[in-house]
Amino acid sequence: MRKMIFAAVVSAIAVLGTVDTAFANRGGQGFVQESVSSKGPLSFQVFCGFYPQECRPGGASKIALDDNIMRILTRVNSRVNRAIRPKLDNPLVQVWRINPSAGDCKSYAISKRHELIRAGLPASALRIAYVKTRQGLGHAVLVVKTSQGDLTLDNLTGEIKPFHQAGYRVVAISGADPRRWS
């Protein structure tokens, strides 16, 4: 419990003054866009401090896309999208949660990453992207680097799309080491 309180306080401090005007309560479609340093959003850094095993790189930075991998991606994307009820974080406290009953796009993205690693996919091929939607809202998605291009796993759609066709503008994306963002 102390860890959660500490994370909430640190996140609130990090977000104050950096709240993007794109915040909107639209059923999980937007969130408070934090500033992102080369180490990622501060709330993600706090998450990694408490759960370092979730933030390790490892394996290939791209995966060979075949029918089996596509089935795994589809199954995990669908299962996580159904399991989490859309609910925005408090605008002043951004928290990353794995497999919560309710959460915003950050929780969907990190849960999908967690489940795909458990399914045997290499951590370094799974990237978290902070993006802007066509409506200018902040959003987070999971990007899977494959031999046939980058794929988007998104809580706003059940369809896995090539990242360049998802219609998002990238604000920042994690690297093969999830503690390094550009």
Side-chain angles (χ1 to χ4, degrees):
M1 184 62 154
R2 281 189 326 195
K3 287 182 178 182
M4 288 300 290
I5 293 169
F6 175 75
V9 170
V10 170
S11 294
I13 291 168
V15 173
L16 288 173
T18 64
V19 176
D20 191 293
T21 57
F23 177 74
N25 187 353
R26 295 190 179 177
Q29 292 184 28
F31 72 103
V32 176
Q33 185 96 33
E34 296 177 73
S35 2
V36 181
S37 75
S38 62
K39 295 179 181 180
L42 184 57
S43 62
F44 179 74
Q45 294 173 49
V46 169
F47 170 82
C48 290
F50 286 116
Y51 306 101
Q53 70 280 6
E54 295 293 334
C55 300
R56 291 188 187 122
S61 60
K62 278 188 179 180
I63 57 175
L65 186 61
D66 60 22
D67 290 342
N68 184 50
I69 294 295
M70 198 62 198
R71 275 192 296 278
I72 293 169
L73 296 177
T74 302
R75 185 180 70 240
V76 167
N77 191 56
S78 179
R79 185 172 53 218
V80 171
N81 283 354
R82 283 190 321 269
I84 301 174
R85 183 176 44 86
K87 180 183 176 198
L88 291 177
D89 284 342
N90 178 308
L92 299 179
V93 182
Q94 297 297 300
V95 182
W96 296 71
R97 295 178 190 93
I98 296 173
N99 297 326
S101 59
D104 70 5
C105 52
K106 297 182 313 302
S107 293
Y108 285 90
I110 200 71
S111 295
K112 290 173 186 181
R113 184 178 189 277
H114 173 82
E115 294 300 322
L116 289 170
I117 292 168
R118 284 184 56 198
L121 274 65
S124 291
L126 308 174
R127 316 292 174 89
I128 298 165
Y130 262 19
V131 298
K132 293 280 186 163
T133 66
R134 287 188 175 114
Q135 296 78 26
L137 300 173
H139 187 50
V141 296
L142 184 68
V143 176
V144 180
K145 306 288 272 181
T146 81
S147 57
Q148 296 180 31
D150 300 346
L151 299 176
T152 309
L153 279 66
D154 189 346
N155 66 296
L156 299 181
T157 180
E159 183 182 355
I160 297 175
K161 297 180 183 178
F163 188 59
H164 70 275
Q165 292 179 6
Y168 297 135
R169 183 176 56 83
V170 176
V171 174
I173 189 166
S174 65
D177 179 344
R179 294 179 187 229
R180 302 284 181 251
W181 289 59
S182 58

